[in-house]
Amino acid sequence: MTLVLRNVRPWGGDAADVTLDGGVIAAVGPVTPAGAAAADASPAGVAAGSYSGAPAVVEGRGRILLPSFSDVHVHLDSTRLGLPFRPHTGAPGVWNMMLNDRHNWRDAEASVAERATLTLGAMIERGTTRVRSYAQVDVDAGLKRFEGVLAAREAHQDRADVSVIAFPQAGLLREAGSSEVLEEALRLGADVVGGIDPCALDRDPVRHLDIVFGLAEKYSLPVDIHLHEPGQLGLFSAQLILERTKALGMQGLVTISHGYGLADLPAGQLQELIDEMGALDVSMATIAPAGAPLPLQQLASAGVRVGLGQDGQRDYWSPYGNADMLDRTWQLAFTSKFRADELIEHCVAVATVGGSSVIDPAAARLTSVADRPGLAAGDPAELVLVEGDTVTAAVMDRLPGRTVIHRGKVVADGLQLA
């Protein structure tokens, strides 16, 4: 189906009509008169053509057209969105938080599949059509949580593209059988091999990374490693990850998530690390945490792909999260202490095409904080219409009048699935 987005403003610029065909943007041209569009627009703003073969029309009403959001760091297997609010019971530290989750997740009022499906649907309604989700695999859960995320992916397979990370949240060395469960998830179709804190959690970075990169090489899959480790310890683990990337020729296939301690490094060490990440095409995923922010401008200048994610959402780890990547984009700008429009718009670029390039290293990339790709002829028709005078205003206001397009088709409008 050919779809025309009439009277939209790509990246908040001049009004245009954008034609979608075959799952890509076919053309960007001048706005046609309103009377030229089909007259009987549905409540979703979509009108089928008045004659056979006529394109369907989405009335943009002057809204801003952006690439759709890409959530590259979300834990769909732990979400409690839509369930009664509960007090936070976790103790500090990754291991203690994991134990709290392990103690509670089976007693949730709905299954993992039900919770993940509801949250993924809410994410799509708010503009996300590309997702990279973790699924915890360990000796406690086995494959149950992994299977729940797969069920959510299947339920929304026509609305979003979802890749699944088999994630050893409890580490790989502390409990016998952990690596075997991880490998079984890979045999069953996981898209990415996960790892976590090689030093601080497993306390044996060589063995941990041997397993993670060994499985990645065996199954020809990319790697995504949670790195919560502070300062020099985080730097040490990052350097080991980069060494493995180079030795195995895995440029473009490795992501460091969080990297909390890296922003606290001395300026010289930080720049050296960023330059090496750029040279080896190792990407980063952030959740815009409080504290020292990632140096987004330095990362962009070095050509490091950076994406944004929502992490856990109102789960046993944290009461935060609301399925809205536009809200998380505001958080990225706020925690980065950005005020200038160009930098706030860069946060939008990170949350959209930046994340897309983390998932697919062959996708369009950001080359500077001023880059705004993703809306030219030939680009994927993964799009979202948002309300606002400018892109920055849309981030500040986060209004509900959104239309979401996946593979050239409307999949949600007005915060409701199509």
Side-chain angles (χ1 to χ4, degrees), residues 64 326 341 344 387-399:
I64 296 170
L326 188 56
D341 284 19
I344 293 171
E387 297 177 301
D389 294 332
T390 67
V391 174
T392 296
V395 174
M396 296 302 118
D397 295 336
R398 304 181 296 286
L399 297 173

Side-chain angles (χ1 to χ4, degrees), residues 230-232 259-267 269-270 291-293 295:
Q232 295 299 315
Y260 287 146
L262 303 186
D264 293 325
L265 294 174
Q269 283 187 329
L270 177 60

Side-chain angles (χ1 to χ4, degrees), residues 65-115:
L65 180 67
L66 299 170
S68 60
F69 293 105
S70 303
D71 188 328
V72 300
H73 188 113
V74 63
H75 294 262
L76 285 173
D77 65 316
S78 66
T79 176
R80 283 185 52 87
L81 285 179
L83 299 182
F85 198 88
R86 67 185 301 279
H88 178 63
T89 54
V94 171
W95 183 256
N96 290 328
M97 295 289 281
M98 186 281 300
L99 290 177
N100 179 64
D101 176 270
R102 180 178 283 187
H103 179 71
N104 286 289
W105 72 272
R106 287 185 174 85
D107 297 327
E109 297 88 335
S111 69
V112 172
E114 290 168 331
R115 291 183 280 126

Side-chain angles (χ1 to χ4, degrees), residues 99-161:
L99 290 177
N100 179 64
D101 176 270
R102 180 178 283 187
H103 179 71
N104 286 289
W105 72 272
R106 287 185 174 85
D107 297 327
E109 297 88 335
S111 69
V112 172
E114 290 168 331
R115 291 183 280 126
T117 299
L118 185 146
T119 295
L120 180 57
M123 292 165 60
I124 294 165
E125 290 169 343
R126 287 154 180 79
T128 298
T129 69
R130 293 168 288 203
V131 178
R132 185 185 255 192
S133 175
Y134 298 89
Q136 184 167 327
V137 290
D138 59 18
V139 296
D140 168 71
L143 298 172
K144 291 188 175 87
R145 297 171 70 144
F146 174 71
E147 291 165 349
V149 175
L150 293 184
R153 176 170 70 178
E154 183 176 0
H156 293 291
Q157 61 183 329
D158 295 326
R159 300 187 180 103
D161 293 324

Side-chain angles (χ1 to χ4, degrees), residues 45-286:
V46 180
S50 57
Y51 60 91
S52 176
V57 176
V58 170
E59 291 294 344
R61 305 189 301 277
R63 286 178 291 169
I64 296 170
L65 180 67
L66 299 170
S68 60
F69 293 105
S70 303
D71 188 328
V72 300
H73 188 113
V74 63
H75 294 262
L76 285 173
D77 65 316
S78 66
T79 176
R80 283 185 52 87
L81 285 179
L83 299 182
F85 198 88
R86 67 185 301 279
H88 178 63
T89 54
V94 171
W95 183 256
N96 290 328
M97 295 289 281
M98 186 281 300
L99 290 177
N100 179 64
D101 176 270
R102 180 178 283 187
H103 179 71
N104 286 289
W105 72 272
R106 287 185 174 85
D107 297 327
E109 297 88 335
S111 69
V112 172
E114 290 168 331
R115 291 183 280 126
T117 299
L118 185 146
T119 295
L120 180 57
M123 292 165 60
I124 294 165
E125 290 169 343
R126 287 154 180 79
T128 298
T129 69
R130 293 168 288 203
V131 178
R132 185 185 255 192
S133 175
Y134 298 89
Q136 184 167 327
V137 290
D138 59 18
V139 296
D140 168 71
L143 298 172
K144 291 188 175 87
R145 297 171 70 144
F146 174 71
E147 291 165 349
V149 175
L150 293 184
R153 176 170 70 178
E154 183 176 0
H156 293 291
Q157 61 183 329
D158 295 326
R159 300 187 180 103
D161 293 324
V162 180
S163 60
V164 182
I165 305 168
F167 179 49
Q169 179 74 76
L172 290 168
L173 305 176
R174 297 176 69 130
E175 298 175 316
S178 297
S179 61
E180 288 79 4
V181 178
L182 174 61
E183 182 166 11
E184 183 60 21
L186 303 180
R187 290 195 194 99
L188 294 176
D191 303 290
V192 184
V193 185
I196 181 171
D197 292 341
C199 294
L201 187 60
D202 268 345
R203 301 178 183 180
D204 189 338
V206 173
R207 286 183 61 202
H208 182 97
L209 294 176
D210 276 348
I211 294 170
V212 170
F213 279 88
L215 289 172
E217 189 175 26
K218 180 176 180 179
Y219 290 93
S220 300
L221 294 174
V223 165
D224 186 307
I225 298 180
H226 273 55
L227 197 58
H228 308 97
E229 297 169 352
Q232 295 299 315
L233 187 61
L235 174 63
F236 176 65
S237 287
Q239 289 170 334
L240 292 179
I241 292 167
L242 296 179
E243 286 178 4
R244 301 288 179 124
T245 302
K246 184 176 182 179
L248 295 174
M250 289 187 64
Q251 290 87 339
L253 298 174
V254 176
T255 300
I256 294 175
S257 284
H258 295 312
Y260 287 146
L262 303 186
D264 293 325
L265 294 174
Q269 283 187 329
L270 177 60
Q271 188 61 57
E272 184 178 351
L273 178 65
I274 288 174
D275 288 343
E276 189 172 1
M277 290 178 66
L280 292 172
D281 199 11
V282 171
S283 62
M284 291 204 73
T286 182

Side-chain angles (χ1 to χ4, degrees), residues 14 20 133 140 166 191 197 238 249 266 270 327 347 410 417:
D14 295 336
L20 314 179
S133 175
D140 168 71
D191 303 290
D197 292 341
L270 177 60
D327 194 66
C347 292
V410 174
L417 293 176

Side-chain angles (χ1 to χ4, degrees), residues 295-382:
L296 294 179
Q297 292 161 280
Q298 287 176 262
L299 289 163
S301 296
V304 177
R305 292 172 291 130
V306 180
L308 180 65
Q310 298 181 78
D311 208 13
Q313 300 185 70
R314 196 171 291 188
D315 56 14
Y316 301 105
W317 290 71
S318 165
Y320 294 94
N322 62 1
D324 193 345
M325 277 290 288
L326 188 56
D327 194 66
R328 189 54 60 113
T329 303
W330 177 94
Q331 183 172 317
L332 179 62
F334 182 78
T335 57
S336 299
K337 300 180 176 62
F338 289 162
R339 294 176 184 263
D341 284 19
E342 180 183 70
L343 295 178
I344 293 171
E345 286 193 24
H346 177 62
C347 292
V348 178
V350 166
T352 57
V353 289
S356 176
S357 71
V358 171
I359 297 170
D360 177 8
R365 298 181 177 213
L366 300 175
T367 58
S368 75
V369 295
D371 202 11
R372 305 287 181 266
L375 299 181
D379 287 334
E382 302 292 327

